[in-house]
Amino acid sequence: MPRPSEPAGVVRPAPPAPVTRLASAAGPRPVPALLGAADRHLRVGTPAELATAVTRSHLDDGRCVGWYGPTAGWRVAVDAERVAAAVPPALAGRFGTADFWARWTRAECLCKLADVPMAAWWRRHGLVVPPGTGALWRTLRLGDLVVTVAFAPPPTAG
C-alpha cells in the first residue's frame, strides 16, 4: 500500500535480493549514498505517470520505471526487466542464464551512460563491467522487477 505522500502505482521494494550490489565507493560521497537509497527514488507506473522522471526505463508489459531522486551533478541511467521474463534463446546461448537480467540491466545502464549501442558493447565487453569504468551502480529487486541505477561523472571540459 502506498504511503500517503506517494502517488498511486508506487511499488514498495522487496527486501534486497542477492543481485543488489554497489560498485566502487570511489566516487563523491553523495552518489554512493543515493545508490544506497535507490529504492526510495524509483517509481513504477505508466509512461504518462512517470513523464517527469529524471530518466526512465520502459518494460515489455507497458510499465515504466523512473528515477525521482537527485543526481549529485552526475549523469544517471535506469534499466529494468521483469524477473520472470524468459531470456531469449540466442542471448542465453551467448551469455548464459545465471543472473542474466541483473547483468543485462547493468550493461544497458553503462551503455546508456557511454552512449554506446548495446550490440557494440556485447562485442567489446559481453555483459561484464570493463576495467576502469568511472560509473557507479546498484542492481536491486523492486517487486517483480530487476532494476539497475547507474551514475557516471559529468564529462570533463577539454
Side-chain angles (χ1 to χ4, degrees), residues 1-16 36-45 63 68 140-145 147:
M1 177 173 203
R3 296 177 182 160
S5 62
E6 293 176 332
V10 170
V11 175
R12 297 303 304 154
D39 56 321
R40 293 187 297 219
H41 300 297
L42 291 165
R43 294 188 190 154
V44 179
R63 292 180 295 166
Y68 280 88
L140 62 151
R141 289 274 306 263
L142 286 180
D144 66 332
L145 305 175
V147 181

Side-chain angles (χ1 to χ4, degrees), residues 71-114:
T71 64
W74 285 40
R75 295 171 295 135
V76 62
V78 173
D79 194 60
E81 297 291 342
R82 291 180 305 108
V83 172
V87 177
L91 294 175
R94 185 169 186 171
F95 302 113
T97 58
D99 210 23
F100 179 83
W101 292 121
R103 293 181 294 127
W104 176 270
T105 61
R106 182 179 55 236
E108 277 280 2
C109 282
L110 296 175
C111 286
K112 291 173 185 180
L113 293 172

